[in-house]
C-alpha cells in the first residue's frame, strides 16, 4: 500500500494533534544540537561572529545546525515513528518535485535558531544559510523560515521573547532588531555587565506587524523608550518606517528612538569587533535619535534617489518641504514638532536660518491636515473655507498666500512653532495695547 501523499497530507483541513507537532519540533532541536557539536564549520562560523558561547551553552537559545544531507533529519524522525504528515505540517520536511511520496529536509546546511512561543515550546525554526552555500548559489535565501502551521503564525510571535522573560519582567529597554543573530548579540553584550540594559527581539522573518507591535508595546520597559535598530540599507529603512507607524500611539508613554549604525552594519557586526560588547552597549545608549527624524530622512533620501536635482532650485526645495511636512503631525508633543520642523528646514534648505522656515513647514502641515478633514481639492488654497474654496493657489513658491516667520530667538524651543501662535507673546501684546 502506498504511503500517504505528503503534499495532500500537509494541506488537509482537518485538525492536527499539536502534541505530535511539538514533539517532532523538540526531537528536531535535539538532533540539530547534536549536529552542531559534531560539525566543525558551523562552530567555526559562530565563533568568528563572537557567538561561540552558543556552541557550548544550550540554553536559552538552543542553536543547532542542519547538515548538507538531503534527508538525514527526515529519516531520523521517521525512525522515531513520526508520520510524513507530522513532518510536513510541522515544516520540517517537504516532498520532492518529481516524487511527492519522497520527503526531504526543509533545512539544509544552515545554522538553526528555534522560535519559541510564549509558553516556551518550540513552534518553528529560522535557518541561516552557510557562506559556502550562499557562494555556490547566490539566489539561495540567506534566511529560511518554517511555513505557517497550527503551531506557528509568523506575524504573532517575536523571536527572543520566551528566552528573555527575566529581562523583560525586570523592565529592560526593548530593542527591535532584524533577526536572531542581532537579538543574541545584544543579549550577549549585557550577559556580564551586571547592569540593567537592553532586551532585543526580532520579527520572525516577516515584515513587522500590528500583533508584534502590540507585544512590544506590552513590555514594561517601553514606558521609557523603544529603540529600533534595523540595518541602514534600503530594506532596513523601510522596515523602520513601518515600525514607527505601528508603534506610534496617541498618549502612549515612552519615546521611539532609532539606533544609528554605519551603512551595512548591524548589532551582530558590532559584537564581532574588538571590544564588541562594550561598543554595542555604547551604541544603544548614546547613538540614538528620535525615530520620527529618521523616518523623515528616509523619505527625503528616497525623493532624492528618484530626483537627484530636487534641491537644486527653490521650487524643488519647497516641494520637498511640503511633502515631508505632514510628519510634523506625528510628533509626540509641541517640542518635538518644533524640532522636527526645524530639521525639515535644514534638510530642504528653504531658509538660510532654520528658524526662519519653521512657520512654512508648520503651515504646510496644517494645510495638509485641513485638506484631509475638510476635503479641500488638491491645488486649492487651504485658508478660510468660506472665502477660498475654488480659489487656485498662486503658482509662486511657496504655494501659500502668507507664511509667518519665526522670531529670531525663542525663549522656549519646546513651545509650539509660530504657525500656531503669534510672533509676539501675550505679555508683549499687553504692553503694546
Amino acid at each position: 500500500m502506498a504511503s500517504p501523499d505528503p503534499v495532500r497530507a500537509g494541506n488537509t483541513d482537518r485538525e492536527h494533534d499539536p502534541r505530535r507537532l511539538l514533539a517532532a519540533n523538540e526531537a528536531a532541536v535535539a538532533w540539530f544540537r547534536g549536529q552542531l557539536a559534531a560539525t566543525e564549520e558551523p562552530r567555526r562560523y559562530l565563533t568568528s561572529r563572537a557567538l561561540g558561547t552558543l556552541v557550548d551553552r544550550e540554553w536559552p537559545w538552543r542553536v543547532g545546525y542542519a547538515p548538507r544531507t538531503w534527508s538525514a533529519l527526515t529519516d531520523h524522525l521517521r525512525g522515531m515513528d513520526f508520520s510524513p504528515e507530522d513532518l510536513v505540517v510541522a515544516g520540517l520536511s517537504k516532498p520532492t518535485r518529481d516524487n511527492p511520496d519522497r520527503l526531504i529536509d526543509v533545512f539544509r546546511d544552515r545554522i538553526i535558531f528555534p522560535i519559541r512561543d510564549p509558553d516556551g515550546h518550540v513552534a518553528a525554526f529560522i535557518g541561516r544559510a552557510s557562506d559556502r552555500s550562499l557562494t555556490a548559489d547566490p539566489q539561495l535565501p540567506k534566511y529560511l523560515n518554517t511555513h505557517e502551521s497550527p503551531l506557528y503564525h509568523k506575524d504573532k510571535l517575536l523571536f527572543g521573547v520566551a528566552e528573555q522573560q527575566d529581562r523583560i519582567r525586570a523592565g529592560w529597554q526593548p530593542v527591535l532588531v532584524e533577526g536572531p543573530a542581532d537579538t543574541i548579540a545584544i543579549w550577549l553584550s549585557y550577559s556580564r555587565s551586571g547592569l540593567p540594559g537592553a532586551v532585543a527581539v526580532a520579527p520572525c522573518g516577516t515584515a513587522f506587524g500590528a500583533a508584534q507591535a502590540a507585544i512590544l508595546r506590552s513590555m514594561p520597559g517601553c514606558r521609557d523608550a523603544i529603540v529600533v535598530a534595523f540595518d541602514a540599507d534600503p530594506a532596513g529603512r523601510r522596515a523602520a518606517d513601518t515600525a514607527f507607524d505601528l508603534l506610534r500611539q496617541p498618549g502612549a508613554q515612552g519615546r521611539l528612538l532609532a539606533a544609528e549604525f554605519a551603512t551595512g552594519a548591524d548589532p551582530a557586526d558590532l559584537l564581532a569587533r574588538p571590544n564588541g560588547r562594550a561598543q554595542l552597549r555604547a551604541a544603544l545608549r548614546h547613538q540614538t535619535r528620535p525615530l520620527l527624524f529618521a523616518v523623515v530622512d528616509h523619505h527625503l533620501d528616497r525623493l532624492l534617489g528618484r530626483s537627484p536635482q530636487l534641491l537644486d532650485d527653490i521650487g524643488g526645495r519647497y516641494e520637498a518641504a511640503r511633502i515631508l511636512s505632514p510628519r510634523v503631525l506625528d510628533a509626540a508633543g509641541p517640542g518635538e514638532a518644533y524640532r522636527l520642523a526645524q530639521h525639515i528646514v535644514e534638510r530642504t534648505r528653504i531658509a538660510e536660518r532654520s528658524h526662519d522656515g519653521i512657520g512654512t513647514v508648520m503651515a504646510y502641515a496644517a494645510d495638509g491636515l485641513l485638506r484631509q478633514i475638510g476635503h479641500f481639492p488638491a491645488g486649492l488654497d487651504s485658508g478660510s473655507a468660506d472665502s477660498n474654496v475654488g480659489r487656485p493657489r498662486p503658482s509662486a513658491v511657496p504655494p501659500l498666500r502668507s507664511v509667518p516667520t519665526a522670531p529670531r530667538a525663542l525663549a522656549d524651543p519646546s513651545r509650539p512653532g509660530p504657525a500656531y501662535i503669534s510672533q509676539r507673546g501675550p505679555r508683549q501684546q499687553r504692553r503694546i495695547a
Side-chain angles (χ1 to χ4, degrees), residues 30 36 86 93 108 145 155 187 196 203 289 306 329 332 400-401:
L36 178 62
D86 293 333
S93 304
R108 298 178 57 250
N145 287 69
D155 61 347
W187 176 77
R289 62 170 175 156
R306 293 192 294 266
L329 303 175
L400 295 167
R401 289 174 304 156

Side-chain angles (χ1 to χ4, degrees), residues 202-260:
C204 298
T206 61
F208 187 62
Q212 294 164 321
I215 295 171
L216 199 57
R217 272 290 184 196
S218 71
M219 296 181 182
C222 79
R223 288 191 293 265
D224 176 41
I226 296 173
V227 177
V228 174
F230 288 156
D231 293 356
D233 58 16
R237 292 182 174 191
R238 287 192 298 271
D241 298 348
T242 300
F244 174 82
D245 290 328
L246 289 170
L247 291 169
R248 176 176 56 88
Q249 292 182 353
Q253 292 181 318
R255 299 163 294 162
L256 296 178
L257 303 175
E260 299 288 289

Side-chain angles (χ1 to χ4, degrees), residues 24-36 58 62 64 73 76 80 125:
N25 282 344
E26 189 61 35
V29 170
W31 190 81
F32 288 140
R33 284 291 301 173
Q35 296 301 310
L36 178 62
E58 179 175 0
R62 310 186 73 188
L73 173 63
H76 173 75
M80 297 178 67
F125 300 91

Side-chain angles (χ1 to χ4, degrees), residues 50 58 71 99 125 171 179 236 250 289 311 404 425 427:
E58 179 175 0
S71 61
N99 184 0
F125 300 91
R289 62 170 175 156
L311 303 183
R427 292 183 181 177

